[in-house]
């Protein structure tokens, strides 16, 4: 069992930055592909970023490319989402998720059904 806890959310003005953290306990994250998703009020949950278990491959949604970066520190059992140049449309609850199926991760990283473990989410609000 893996427990994921997100932190780092908050209120920021447009153009600002936030760094989200996803800390894991229970198992080492080094065997998991990881993903970040977000859900705005009244909308479905969407893929934001993903990172392979070694960190050698990263994936970003088109809407955040050039602004967001995903990286991990397996020694710290933590995955991060660095968010720069934030826009009001980035406002959402952000969730991290862990996928133990490394064999299919590179094909399905953007599907929320690929992930077995989820954090409780952290709110990000970007004011205009």
């Amino acid at each position: 069992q893996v427990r994921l806890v997100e932190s780092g959310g908050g209120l920021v003005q447009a153009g600002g930055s936030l760094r989200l953290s996803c800390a894991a306990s229970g198992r080492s994250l080094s065997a998991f592909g990881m993903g970040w998703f977000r859900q705005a009020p009244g909308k479905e949950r969407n893929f934001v970023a993903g990172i392979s278990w070694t960190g050698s491959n990263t994936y970003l949604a088109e809407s955040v490319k050039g602004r967001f970066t995903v990286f991990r520190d397996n020694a710290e059992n933590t995955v991060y989402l660095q968010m720069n140049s934030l826009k009001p449309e980035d406002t959402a609850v952000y969730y991290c998720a862990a996928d133990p199926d490394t064999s299919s991760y590179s094909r399905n990283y953007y599907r929320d059904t690929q992930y077995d473990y989820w954090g409780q989410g952290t709110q990000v609000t970007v004011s205009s």
Side-chain angles (χ1 to χ4, degrees):
Q1 191 74 7
V2 176
R3 181 170 180 258
L4 303 174
V5 178
E6 301 96 337
S7 61
L11 174 64
V12 64
Q13 288 187 331
S17 298
L18 285 174
R19 177 177 291 184
L20 304 185
S21 300
C22 174
S25 60
R27 287 180 62 183
S28 170
L29 282 186
S30 62
F32 292 82
M34 298 297 295
W36 286 96
F37 290 76
R38 66 186 181 187
Q39 187 168 23
K43 296 187 177 180
E44 62 183 21
R45 187 166 58 189
N46 291 321
F47 169 78
V48 176
I51 185 166
S52 62
W53 63 287
T54 62
S56 58
N57 294 303
T58 60
Y59 311 92
L60 294 170
E62 284 296 324
S63 60
V64 305
K65 282 184 179 178
R67 301 188 298 122
F68 291 13
T69 305
V70 58
F71 57 101
R72 65 192 301 162
D73 185 339
N74 286 342
E76 295 294 326
N77 228 25
T78 302
V79 178
Y80 301 92
L81 183 67
Q82 177 66 42
M83 306 186 296
N84 299 329
S85 302
L86 282 161
K87 304 176 180 180
E89 51 263 45
D90 294 318
T91 295
V93 177
Y94 284 70
Y95 300 90
C96 71
D99 169 28
D101 186 2
T102 56
S103 65
S104 65
Y105 177 79
S106 62
R107 298 190 303 276
N108 299 309
Y109 60 86
Y110 58 94
R111 301 178 187 273
D112 59 1
T113 53
Q114 178 73 11
Y115 298 85
D116 288 359
Y117 305 101
W118 290 83
Q120 82 291 346
T122 186
Q123 176 70 47
V124 172
T125 303
V126 185
S127 63
S128 57

